[in-house]
Amino acid sequence: SLSCRLYCEEEKDPKRRSCQTVLAQALDIVVRSFAPILPHLAEEVFQHLPYKKDSEGVFRTGWINASSAWKKPGIEEAIEGACAMRDSFLGSISGKNALEYEVVIVIEPGLLFELMEALQAEETSSVSQLNEIMMASQTTLLSELPKETPTDANIIKGTFLINLEGGDIREESSYKVIALPIAKAKCPRCRRYTSDSSSTPCPRCLKVIAGKGST
């Protein structure tokens, strides 16, 4: 999640820095968008941005100019697909705390699976982009249903239509989402259930704390 990236990762970790970059870009676009109708507010916000080096003001630095680097093929579809699976997951736990669960996502090999791999390279992760979107403590991405799946597991089935290259590439893929109560303890630092003991930080947090101590 946003707060976990900002407050739990190392200060210069790429995940934290990339989150700050997105927030800065979003704020810049919003300020320039309402500048014509709220000029004084826009100028005041612009002048108080801590990372701006110039003092020319919002009206002397041009209109919105988003970089083409933000438009990466497949990213939008990957995020939308992950959000669809997250909705299935959250709907299956009926308003309970998502962090108390681990999610198993099963997708047959194909384009949708490849898009999800772009968000989580590892089979199981608690810190991947996919897991952040799912809002769980841990997410596992598989191409087939695991044999050890409990017989009473609530398996949610869904489909997602991928539309790439202006409609030239269209593929409807099916997926399964399984929510399982997580067996680990809550980390006292990041609040995810990824620790072996409620009195000890999880491995990720221990690594961050050790890094702070050595700087």
Side-chain angles (χ1 to χ4, degrees), residues 89-90 92-103 134-138 179-182 186 190-193:
F89 160 56
L90 295 178
S92 71
I93 61 175
S94 303
K96 296 178 182 177
N97 184 1
L99 289 174
E100 295 180 358
Y101 290 84
E102 61 175 310
V103 182
M134 297 305 293
M135 300 169 60
S137 278
Q138 180 174 285
L180 300 172
I182 198 157
K186 180 193 287 187
C190 69
R191 303 299 180 183
R192 287 181 176 173
Y193 289 76

Side-chain angles (χ1 to χ4, degrees), residues 47-118:
Q47 292 298 332
H48 283 82
L49 295 177
Y51 47 83
K52 287 291 183 183
K53 302 299 182 183
D54 58 73
S55 57
E56 293 184 353
V58 67
F59 293 101
R60 293 178 179 271
T61 54
W63 186 234
I64 298 170
N65 184 25
S67 171
S68 59
W70 294 94
K71 186 63 176 178
K72 292 185 177 181
I75 291 297
E76 182 178 354
E77 287 73 19
I79 299 299
E80 289 180 351
C83 287
M85 296 174 200
R86 179 190 63 193
D87 292 343
S88 297
F89 160 56
L90 295 178
S92 71
I93 61 175
S94 303
K96 296 178 182 177
N97 184 1
L99 289 174
E100 295 180 358
Y101 290 84
E102 61 175 310
V103 182
V104 178
I105 299 174
V106 182
I107 309 172
E108 292 184 358
L111 186 53
L112 182 59
F113 188 88
E114 292 175 4
L115 290 175
M116 293 304 105
E117 279 190 315

